Amino acid sequence: MCGIIGYIGKKAASPILLEGLRRLEYRGYDSAGVAIAQPQSLEIRKRKGKIDEGLARLLQTSPVQGQLGIGHTRWATHGVPSDKNSHPQLDGTGRIAVVHNGVIENYDFLKQRLIRNGHVFTSDTDTEVLAHLIGDAYAKLTEQPATLPKSAARHGKSRSQTANANDDNQGRLTQAVCNALREVIGTYGLAVICVDAPDTMVCARRGSPIIIGIGDGEHFVTSDANAIVAHTKKVVYLNDYDVATIRPGQFDMQNLGTDTANVQISNLEFSQEDAQRGRHAHFMLKEILEQPQTVQNALRGRLDFEAATAKFGGLNMSAAELRGIDRLIIAASGTSWHAALVGEYLIEELAQIPVEVEFAHEFCYRNCPLEKNTVLLVLSQSGETADTLAALREAKRRGHRALAIVNVVGSTIARESDGGIYMHAGPEIGVASTKAFVSTLTVLAMLAIHLGRLRNLPAKRALEILHALQAIPGQIQELLSQGRHIKQLAAHYAHAKDFFFLGRGYTFPIALEGALKLKEISYIHAEGYSAAEMKHGPIALIDEQTPTVFLVPQDSMYDKTMANLAMIRARKGPIIALATKGDKAIKKVADHVIELPPALECLYPLLATVPLQLFAYHIAVNRGCDVDKPRNLAKSVTVQ
Ligand code: AGP
């Protein structure tokens, strides 16, 4: 997903922008660019492709000085990846440069109107329309032309004769952005600079995150705190409709929707080191190996053995309100949706609350009936997934409480929810979610205990699960020690064309997750399925070339799952079984076995996930795939 970085201060902007864009690469992109204000012009450098091969080389051969600039990594939504479609985009005169995340839904209507007024466009992007709209509004405020004569080239034009860099122009730039945004339908996170106001940067947000970093006599703007944590931990998260005017030593905030903006200074919880790869070959491997620690972080301070429960500080619901919940809807996307399925099993078993799992994007639009005390719970690592944010807003619109389990502190979903629980997994840079998923499961297990103990869950059963949760970090460490065995298995199967991942009960969602991990980083087609469901059709696909990963721990479904496994074996399908350590029978029917430490049935999902993450990782590496930045994918999908 696109990334934004902006800088205004005493240092050279170019290296800061380039470093920030490199820290945004993990989000997925296809082109990158910068605009830097000069005393008399805006200098634009932008290129399709990866930063190292494109933009970085361009800045090397054609460097740009200046202390004010904006940068962007683009994940194409409107218009193919190309130099001309890369950001920054310019207005009709070349005086104003814009970088933008999000989708302008009414861009075509606006574009046609601007074309009728003489505007000429050079790209296929909605962002260029936004730039021209801002330029048009600015021209009206400064009584200057909004476009150049057809002959003139629009490349960072020099400052207009009548205008000069003074407060009027700075105020006019902000006003022009506000006037333009009032005409926009859609989502935006944007930063704007103008040659007439060389010490001003304007940024705004609606539905796509924008963060201001506060430095010493300098400010940063970004869509993702990873890009600026090396410079400052003091940040302000913009809310929807906020518009900020930033100068080297100060910034002002206003809100298009209300009279005043609510400015809260926060401190980033993580360090620059947390967001670095260190000695690991990939972020994904680092994050898989971090899981003993990140599960520990999720548990820390929340296990209450005295009261035989788990405790949270941010649910913002009284015990009576929590007891009163008559139905829970868990909405999420992708890997988080798989976590929601595990949450359904946990909360229904331990708290006896009816739970329904919804794809966030479905919940928003299918107008499902909600009982009086139905509560929505959304799960999101990034806290910015547009589908999931829309589900949260829909529940609130209908008058229902919306809780969230989120990893990124201060993210939009975290701030707009009525209460919630942080995962504390630290920055997750790999596009394929790993540690955040297991941390979500950890939090869901604790939430199920918390809700259960407000109802009929016996203390004895709760204590059994709390103690088992405490053992999870050590058990994950034990699983990670099988890395070599899993790597060898991955090499053996790296060139399979199709995979099945099968499970039942608590491990059925993990079968889905294992399949997603494999396909999203190795590009091998993989299907997660209920082991019981195979005999109702999909088993037709089993042959000697189609390996099946079977999740068959010694749980209440073991005998039935073994019977399902026998059906696959009878058709000569190769079998890789994840089975409980000490299971002798499995060795007779599976081609390969990965051992799981004995655990409570409801906690096997936290353990079985880890070998599947490693399996997918090693297959992808074996196939030479870009593990951390898989093709077509984005870390946070901020468009619907
Ligand atoms: C996970 O491996 C995927 N990259 C993707 O499915 C992700 O889980 C989904 O987009 C939801 O993201 P979120 O948890 O940040 O909301």
Side-chain angles (χ1 to χ4, degrees):
M1 203 45 59
C2 305
I4 286 175
I5 180 76
Y7 175 75
I8 182 166
K10 299 168 281 196
K11 302 180 187 110
S14 180
I16 291 173
L17 298 179
L18 197 55
E19 180 225 350
L21 291 177
R22 284 202 164 103
R23 291 193 184 288
L24 294 171
E25 287 191 281
Y26 80 96
R27 302 168 60 88
Y29 72 106
D30 47 54
S31 55
V34 297
I36 296 177
Q38 307 292 294
Q40 297 299 328
S41 67
L42 288 185
E43 287 298 316
I44 309 293
R45 302 285 188 277
K46 57 184 188 177
R47 272 288 180 279
K48 174 189 170 187
K50 297 298 182 194
I51 288 170
D52 284 341
E53 290 91 50
L55 180 63
R57 284 200 187 140
L58 189 54
L59 284 168
Q60 221 164 15
T61 54
S62 173
V64 184
Q65 307 308 318
Q67 284 86 17
L68 163 63
I70 53 179
H72 189 261
T73 49
R74 178 175 182 251
W75 188 76
T77 52
H78 292 74
V80 297
S82 66
D83 291 354
K84 73 178 174 78
N85 286 338
S86 310
H87 301 199
Q89 290 290 334
L90 294 174
D91 76 321
T93 67
R95 271 197 307 258
I96 292 173
V98 177
V99 291
H100 162 242
N101 289 354
V103 174
I104 307 299
E105 292 172 14
N106 63 334
Y107 87 98
D108 193 47
F109 166 77
L110 296 167
K111 186 170 185 173
Q112 296 316 315
R113 190 186 78 192
L114 289 161
I115 288 171
R116 285 195 299 275
N117 294 339
H119 286 253
V120 176
F121 290 89
T122 58
S123 83
D124 314 315
T125 66
D126 56 341
T127 304
E128 190 184 12
V129 173
L130 182 58
H132 279 244
L133 198 63
I134 294 169
D136 201 43
Y138 183 77
K140 288 188 178 90
L141 291 168
T142 53
E143 289 160 18
Q144 297 173 55
T147 61
L148 293 176
K150 288 249 189 299
S151 56
R154 272 190 318 124
H155 294 295
K157 281 307 297 168
S158 63
R159 183 179 303 152
S160 42
Q161 288 61 38
T162 54
N164 51 50
N166 59 36
D167 277 352
D168 289 356
N169 266 345
Q170 293 157 349
R172 287 189 186 115
L173 180 61
T174 302
Q175 192 54 53
V177 170
C178 292
N179 294 350
L181 292 180
R182 286 196 171 93
E183 295 196 74
V184 157
I185 298 170
T187 57
Y188 54 79
L190 60 86
V192 185
I193 59 175
C194 174
V195 70
D196 299 343
D199 56 358
T200 301
M201 176 164 49
V202 178
C203 62
R205 76 146 280 162
R206 180 186 183 289
S208 190
I210 286 287
I211 302 164
I212 297 174
I214 302 167
D216 176 12
E218 60 186 9
H219 283 88
F220 304 80
V221 168
T222 184
S223 54
D224 178 328
N226 283 299
I228 60 169
V229 68
H231 302 283
T232 181
K233 287 193 169 186
K234 229 165 125 184
V235 296
V236 172
Y237 298 93
L238 267 65
N239 294 305
D240 274 357
Y241 301 108
D242 279 353
V243 178
T245 306
I246 306 172
R247 295 184 180 87
Q250 67 174 80
F251 69 91
D252 303 304
M253 189 87 82
Q254 64 192 86
N255 188 284
L256 294 181
T258 59
D259 299 341
T260 54
N262 168 21
V263 177
Q264 279 188 322
I265 295 180
S266 310
N267 279 300
L268 296 176
E269 269 197 350
F270 62 93
S271 66
Q272 181 187 356
E273 291 66 38
D274 292 334
Q276 288 178 332
R277 204 174 63 195
R279 59 184 168 75
H280 299 288
H282 299 97
F283 277 108
M284 183 176 175
L285 181 59
K286 171 178 180 257
E287 287 147 13
I288 292 171
L289 299 177
E290 279 176 342
Q291 290 179 112
Q293 185 54 54
T294 50
V295 167
Q296 195 63 50
N297 294 345
L299 295 170
R300 185 168 295 112
R302 292 168 168 169
L303 302 184
D304 182 345
F305 290 97
E306 206 170 304
T309 189
K311 55 189 181 185
F312 302 105
L315 286 177
N316 301 337
M317 287 179 76
S318 67
E321 287 170 328
L322 288 167
R323 260 189 218 100
I325 297 174
D326 52 25
R327 187 156 71 105
L328 193 67
I329 293 179
I330 311 180
S333 310
T335 280
S336 294
W337 182 78
H338 298 150
L341 292 173
V342 178
E344 177 180 19
Y345 284 102
L346 284 163
I347 293 168
E348 288 197 341
E349 180 194 341
L350 301 181
Q352 293 294 298
I353 298 173
V355 176
E356 187 177 332
V357 172
E358 291 270 359
F359 280 118
H361 43 77
E362 293 304 310
F363 173 78
C364 301
Y365 302 107
R366 75 180 191 84
N367 198 27
C368 62
L370 302 177
E371 280 76 32
K372 180 172 174 299
N373 294 317
T374 298
V375 168
L376 177 82
L377 170 65
V378 295
L379 310 179
S380 178
Q381 185 285 128
S382 63
E384 300 298 347
T385 300
D387 290 331
T388 309
L389 178 59
L392 180 139
R393 289 174 172 169
E394 172 62 7
K396 292 179 74 171
R397 183 190 67 79
R398 293 178 62 178
H400 289 262
R401 198 176 285 263
L403 303 178
I405 297 176
V406 171
N407 190 37
V408 177
V409 175
S411 57
T412 306
I413 288 175
R415 286 182 293 117
E416 293 198 11
S417 65
D418 295 314
I421 306 166
Y422 280 123
M423 302 171 196
H424 299 310
E428 185 177 72
I429 308 298
V431 165
S433 185
T434 51
K435 63 177 183 174
F437 175 71
V438 174
S439 291
T440 307
L441 301 185
T442 305
V443 170
L444 284 166
M446 290 190 283
L447 179 60
I449 293 168
H450 182 82
L451 295 171
R453 290 289 289 140
L454 291 171
R455 293 165 147 87
N456 309 314
L457 181 66
K460 184 169 182 293
R461 172 71 171 143
L463 284 170
E464 181 189 30
I465 301 169
L466 292 174
H467 285 298
L469 275 170
Q470 255 191 338
I472 292 290
Q475 291 176 315
I476 291 178
Q477 195 59 58
E478 187 186 331
L479 281 165
L480 293 172
S481 66
Q482 296 188 58
R484 179 184 299 280
H485 169 47
I486 295 168
K487 184 175 179 179
Q488 288 163 350
L489 263 185
H492 185 71
Y493 287 102
H495 299 291
K497 295 281 179 290
D498 297 283
F499 262 91
F500 272 102
F501 287 73
L502 304 180
R504 287 182 76 139
Y506 273 99
T507 56
F508 162 54
I510 307 308
L512 301 180
E513 174 59 12
L516 176 61
K517 279 292 92 47
L518 183 66
K519 62 186 141 190
E520 67 177 330
I521 63 173
S522 73
Y523 317 144
I524 295 175
H525 173 253
E527 286 196 57
Y529 240 93
S530 155
E533 189 60 18
M534 282 299 281
K535 58 186 177 292
H536 299 291
I539 199 166
L541 294 175
I542 293 297
D543 61 21
E544 290 167 306
Q545 314 309 319
T546 308
T548 296
V549 177
F550 242 105
L551 293 141
V552 55
Q554 284 186 327
D555 58 14
S556 62
M557 308 301 289
Y558 179 79
D559 292 340
K560 290 188 177 352
T561 310
M562 286 293 271
N564 300 143
L565 188 150
M567 296 172 197
I568 304 296
R569 184 173 174 73
R571 288 150 184 87
K572 299 190 180 5
I575 293 171
I576 302 158
L578 273 67
T580 305
K581 197 173 183 177
D583 179 342
K584 294 189 173 33
I586 194 67
K587 293 185 173 18
K588 298 182 185 118
V589 293
D591 298 276
H592 313 278
V593 176
I594 296 171
E595 293 189 328
L596 299 173
L600 295 180
E601 177 162 350
C602 64
L603 298 186
Y604 267 121
L606 284 74
L607 299 173
T609 303
V610 176
L612 301 186
Q613 293 168 346
L614 283 171
F615 185 65
Y617 169 79
H618 286 301
I619 285 184
V621 169
N622 196 292
R623 294 167 64 95
C625 296
D626 187 345
V627 172
D628 284 334
K629 300 191 289 291
R631 68 185 182 198
N632 308 339
L633 295 188
K635 181 60 184 171
S636 173
V637 184
T638 54
V639 292
Q640 288 200 26

